[in-house]
Amino acid sequence: RDAAQALKALEEQRLEVLLVELVLPDGDGLNLLVEARLLHPLVPRIVVTGLEDFASAVTAINEAEVFRFLQKPLDPPTLRAAVEEALGRAATLHEARGAREEAERRRLALIDLETDHPGISMVSLGPEGYSLTPPRLRALAEELKDTPLGPHLAAAMELPGPDVS
């Protein structure tokens, strides 16, 4: 019904799509849209209005990053299509965010693993078992040169056998 109730709903519950009229009884729908973008950037915002003010439309699109701007009178199929498209976009945004968060979790786990076990990320599994490629072996030897393992690794690199240079 009004901007205050809408903001309260945004804080209390998970919304998939926000449908807002630019002219509200207690204030400006545009301010609501901007606040909603700041609070919930992944929630697509749709504006429905009877105003013919082009400047308001441009401001809503630019400042509130409105997903769709629909002018009254609306027919139900147009509104339904806009909401369905917004729901699809919300799902895509949530999936992308989840993928980014998972990638960050994996990156941090690898950093933790490498901190606890230096060089472990340089080992690869091949048909002959676990191995280090010569460039990785040199990098690992350099990284571990001041550790108890360093002299052993350096000695192993100097043993006769395949050229590791």
Side-chain angles (χ1 to χ4, degrees):
R1 285 183 231 167
D2 57 45
Q5 285 183 343
L7 282 172
K8 187 175 180 182
L10 278 171
E11 293 170 5
E12 294 175 353
Q13 54 191 314
R14 182 172 182 248
L15 302 178
E16 295 297 324
V17 176
L18 182 63
L19 186 66
V20 176
E21 168 66 62
L22 279 183
V23 178
L24 296 172
D26 71 339
D28 187 8
L30 181 57
N31 290 334
L32 167 61
L33 289 162
V34 170
E35 187 69 23
R37 180 183 60 85
L38 295 173
L39 292 172
H40 302 282
L42 298 181
V43 174
R45 291 159 300 282
I46 298 174
V47 171
V48 177
T49 188
L51 292 178
E52 294 182 14
D53 180 7
F54 182 72
S56 294
V58 169
T59 302
I61 292 166
N62 291 337
E63 290 184 26
E65 297 178 3
V66 170
F67 178 70
R68 289 286 177 266
F69 193 91
L70 306 173
Q71 195 155 13
K72 292 179 183 178
L74 274 180
D75 60 298
T78 300
L79 180 58
R80 183 176 295 113
V83 170
E84 286 174 358
E85 192 175 350
L87 287 170
R89 177 169 170 84
T92 300
L93 291 172
H94 286 292
E95 288 173 18
R97 182 182 200 178
R100 283 191 308 273
E101 289 171 353
E102 179 59 29
E104 181 63 8
R105 277 192 294 277
R106 287 181 181 182
R107 186 184 74 77
L108 294 173
L110 184 58
I111 289 170
D112 288 345
L113 189 59
E114 187 67 37
T115 300
D116 293 342
H117 308 283
I120 196 166
S121 63
M122 295 183 167
V123 178
S124 60
L125 178 61
E128 303 287 323
Y130 291 97
S131 64
L132 289 169
T133 63
R136 284 184 170 183
L137 186 59
R138 281 192 301 279
L140 183 59
E142 179 62 30
E143 185 177 328
L144 299 177
K145 69 181 176 186
D146 296 326
T147 70
L149 184 60
H152 300 288
L153 188 55
M157 289 178 59
E158 294 173 5
L159 291 176
D163 183 19
V164 293
S165 57

